[in-house]
Amino acid sequence: MRHAFCRQIASVLSTDKSCAFNGNHQFITMHDKQKNRVLEILAYGRAIENLNLKSMLLKDSHAASLSKIISLNRNMTSVLLDGNQLSEPAMFVLAEAIQGHPTLREFTVSEQKLPLSLSAIKRLIEAMEKTPNLLR
């Protein structure tokens, strides 16, 4: 199981266009620092177009790494972060990363386990409106 996970990361870094850890027990059970290391590595997977990290127990402490993945991957078309534990601080960081992204078409953060403030929702909407290819 561990080796398969490492192969999956290596594959993403080389040529894969999709990165879906959705349901990956090994990633879910990692400590926050370990998750951040994996996310930092993924930021250099320049071929990634689709990032699916739904329900991976991601927290605000992962927002900077997620932002880096989005910002550095200018071919990114979808980022799915539904069902995590991201709150207001993370949403502000992610809004900055998606705003004006040239290829992003889909960005979802629904069903977070923590409540979002009106200001965080407003900032996300503003960023989405300034992202030219984002489907509305």
Side-chain angles (χ1 to χ4, degrees):
M1 176 79 125
R2 184 176 181 167
H3 296 292
F5 184 67
C6 291
R7 279 193 300 276
Q8 183 179 6
I9 293 172
S11 177
V12 165
L13 291 176
S14 59
T15 59
D16 277 8
K17 293 186 178 206
S18 292
C19 177
F21 290 155
N22 190 19
N24 184 303
H25 180 71
Q26 185 157 355
F27 186 84
I28 291 172
T29 58
M30 285 181 177
H31 295 288
D32 288 343
K33 287 183 181 181
Q34 292 171 314
K35 285 182 184 179
N36 263 327
R37 281 191 218 121
V38 170
L39 294 172
E40 288 285 329
I41 291 167
L42 289 177
Y44 296 98
R46 302 281 196 257
I48 299 173
E49 292 179 7
N50 305 301
L51 181 65
N52 182 346
L53 294 173
K54 291 181 176 180
S55 302
M56 300 307 294
L57 299 180
L58 296 174
K59 300 176 183 173
D60 292 344
S61 61
H62 303 114
S65 298
L66 292 167
S67 174
K68 191 172 184 179
I69 294 170
I70 296 166
S71 298
L72 292 178
N73 288 283
R74 303 315 281 174
N75 295 320
M76 184 81 62
T77 59
S78 72
V79 176
L80 311 177
L81 299 172
D82 308 290
N84 284 292
Q85 299 173 6
L86 303 171
S87 68
E88 184 170 337
M91 294 305 160
F92 280 100
V93 171
L94 292 170
E96 192 67 32
I98 68 165
Q99 183 169 316
H101 194 287
T103 58
L104 193 63
R105 297 183 52 127
E106 182 180 17
F107 178 76
T108 62
V109 290
S110 66
E111 300 178 21
Q112 295 301 313
K113 306 301 181 208
L114 300 171
L116 293 179
S117 69
L118 189 55
S119 62
I121 294 168
K122 183 178 177 183
R123 179 63 188 107
L124 278 172
I125 291 170
E126 289 170 357
M128 291 173 161
E129 288 175 342
K130 294 178 180 175
T131 305
N133 295 313
L134 200 62
L135 301 174
R136 291 167 175 73

